[in-house]
Amino acid sequence: MFADTAKIFVKSGKGGDGHVSFRRELYVPAGGPDGGDGGKGGDIIFEVDSGLNTLEDFRHKRKYTAEPGREGGGKRMHGRSGRDLVIRVPEGTILREDESGKIIADMSGENRRLLLLRGGKGGLGNMHFATPAMQAPKYAQPGQDSRELWLRLELRVIADVGLLGFPNAGKSSLLSMCSNARPEIANYHFTTLTPQLGVVGLRGDRSFVMADIPGLIEGASEGVGLGYQFLRHIERCRVLIHVVDLAGTEGRDPAADIETLRRELRSYDEHLLKRPMLIAANKVDLLSAEEERERLDILREKYGDRMEVLPISAAANTGIGELLEAAWRLLERAGRERRVYESEFDLSSIGNEELLPLEYGNPKPGFFTVEGPKIEKMLGYTNLESEKGFAFFQRFMEEQGIIKRLKRMGLKEGDSIRIYGHEFEYLDSEGDDFPASEKEEE
């Protein structure tokens, strides 16, 4: 079965942790800190591969993880960065965030390469935390967490002209006669189970891509039959050709078939009806001249003011040149821009806790709360029991503007600040803008 959808899990590499070590050499009994930084985690990158035309590979492998960064080492050695993971997809693949369904990126047009998830930054080694007051820091910064995401991939073929029609109308025969495509052709319904693409060459070094969209049936837009699975492939086509069996070899009415096709297009996406269209009245070789004229007159009377009706025989290779020239004229009129879907999802929000805002609260007079992933992570690698660790925490509160924000909310000396289970009494002596002591838990 043709694979044009897939659900996969992607995860960038975690940053390597910073290292804690001290210089120890002969004649240097009290060397300073020399712990190196951790390496950066690998990125998740999507790239268009022109040699691919299906999402089949993603049905066999669903989880993709980039390599994590390595921990830093002694002697200021930097940890090795993790290798990036490049995921190759066919042109026309749309990446959606699975839960919301929002479009992250459309891998078509100029969008050939996308850095989707950036790997975590490596943590700083303890050599960065040495100060005149703290010359032997015994802690280092952990690496930044990886980012992860569930994706839904959708392939929408890239074609200029799309062939639409009921099963056995002759779309595959037409495509094989006018392009380099070699679709399966047989006298039974649903011979074509995958969208087929072919390059049509015209005189004067002109060409365009034509797609045979698998047969639609009535109710396809509501999920009936196989056609529903391929309606999405019509969306990028700039010109649509309705292929009908003018001879009615299976007892079908060509005019009624066109009306049904238009109704299905309207139900799926009413904007599709605004695309330039042609009617290819196929199998005229099975009709007498009089029958052909009568049936063409019916179609032209009903649809001639909206689209040109052209008689063809894919089997006898007649009328195809005129049809292709008419399609080219419509393409020229429509312009060369293919539809590229705009992004609806903010990539910067994916797993990047440090970009998330802090949440401030003032549940009662004299009592304030501060929460957020960034401050929670900082507390995870800071020892508030030590004097130096608490000094580091004070600097963080000041540099991040947390105390200034609380003071605008009404913070005064003696008020309490609770941060993830830690409660502090705020002292503003000598112009200090940070909590000066942690209160004992009751």
Side-chain angles (χ1 to χ4, degrees), residues 249-290:
T249 55
E250 297 186 348
R252 306 194 64 88
D253 179 357
D257 282 355
I258 293 174
E259 196 59 39
T260 301
L261 289 172
R262 290 175 60 81
R263 187 164 58 249
E264 294 305 318
L265 293 179
R266 184 185 297 110
S267 298
Y268 180 75
D269 183 353
E270 61 182 10
H271 293 95
L272 291 175
L273 292 181
K274 298 179 181 179
R275 304 281 169 85
M277 297 184 184
L278 294 169
I279 296 176
N282 192 25
K283 303 186 181 182
V284 296
D285 57 308
L286 303 179
L287 298 171
S288 65
E290 184 177 353

Side-chain angles (χ1 to χ4, degrees), residues 27-304:
Y27 308 117
V28 186
D34 67 352
D37 302 343
K40 176 185 171 298
D43 300 333
I44 293 289
I45 299 170
F46 276 81
E47 190 172 81
V48 171
D49 186 336
S50 301
L52 297 176
N53 56 15
T54 176
L55 300 177
E56 182 66 31
D57 290 345
F58 298 101
R59 291 194 170 180
H60 305 293
K61 182 180 178 182
R62 293 181 179 272
K63 293 189 176 182
Y64 296 82
T65 304
E67 189 177 57
R70 299 290 179 85
E71 181 184 357
K75 300 182 180 180
R76 298 176 177 261
M77 294 182 63
H78 197 291
R80 183 172 67 82
S81 295
R83 285 190 291 269
D84 297 337
L85 178 61
V86 179
I87 302 174
R88 292 177 170 79
V89 295
E91 184 176 7
T93 300
I94 292 177
L95 312 182
R96 293 183 183 272
E97 196 276 324
D98 182 61
E99 185 175 353
S100 67
K102 291 183 177 180
I103 294 175
I104 296 174
D106 181 356
M107 302 301 292
S108 60
E110 297 181 356
N111 301 331
R112 311 290 296 183
R113 186 178 174 89
L114 170 70
L115 197 168
L116 180 70
L117 298 179
R118 195 176 294 277
K121 294 180 181 178
L124 299 177
N126 69 333
M127 65 179 180
H128 293 278
F129 298 101
T131 66
M134 182 171 55
Q135 298 183 9
K138 295 182 180 180
Y139 60 87
Q141 188 181 40
Q144 192 179 55
D145 289 337
S146 57
R147 296 166 173 81
E148 58 187 49
L149 190 65
W150 278 98
L151 291 176
R152 191 162 72 242
L153 310 185
E154 294 179 1
L155 175 60
R156 303 189 180 187
V157 297
I158 303 295
D160 299 299
V161 177
L163 300 178
L164 305 179
F166 278 77
N168 241 1
K171 302 186 305 301
S172 297
S173 298
L174 174 59
L175 182 65
S176 67
M177 292 300 296
C178 62
S179 74
N180 58 353
R182 292 295 175 263
E184 182 182 353
I185 301 172
N187 188 29
Y188 56 86
H189 289 184
F190 302 116
T191 306
T192 303
L193 297 178
T194 70
Q196 300 287 325
L197 298 178
V199 178
V200 177
L202 301 177
R203 284 178 296 182
D205 198 27
R206 298 171 297 158
S207 65
F208 58 83
V209 178
M210 180 180 283
D212 171 11
I213 308 299
L216 303 180
I217 63 173
E218 190 169 3
S221 61
E222 299 173 358
V224 177
L226 296 176
Y228 174 75
Q229 301 176 31
F230 306 107
L231 274 167
R232 70 173 67 92
H233 298 294
I234 300 171
E235 296 184 31
R236 296 193 197 270
C237 298
R238 296 184 291 130
V239 172
L240 300 177
I241 298 179
H242 294 289
V243 182
V244 294
D245 179 0
L246 192 68
T249 55
E250 297 186 348
R252 306 194 64 88
D253 179 357
D257 282 355
I258 293 174
E259 196 59 39
T260 301
L261 289 172
R262 290 175 60 81
R263 187 164 58 249
E264 294 305 318
L265 293 179
R266 184 185 297 110
S267 298
Y268 180 75
D269 183 353
E270 61 182 10
H271 293 95
L272 291 175
L273 292 181
K274 298 179 181 179
R275 304 281 169 85
M277 297 184 184
L278 294 169
I279 296 176
N282 192 25
K283 303 186 181 182
V284 296
D285 57 308
L286 303 179
L287 298 171
S288 65
E290 184 177 353
E291 288 174 326
E292 176 185 339
R293 184 171 56 255
E294 289 176 354
R295 299 187 185 195
L296 287 175
D297 287 344
I298 293 173
L299 292 180
R300 285 169 177 157
E301 182 178 352
K302 191 167 185 177
Y303 300 106

Side-chain angles (χ1 to χ4, degrees), residues 144-148 348-358 372-377:
Q144 192 179 55
D145 289 337
S146 57
R147 296 166 173 81
E148 58 187 49
S348 67
S349 66
I350 301 176
N352 199 342
E353 291 85 359
E354 292 193 4
L355 296 179
L356 296 177
L358 295 173
K374 188 173 185 178
I375 195 169
E376 183 180 20
K377 184 176 181 180

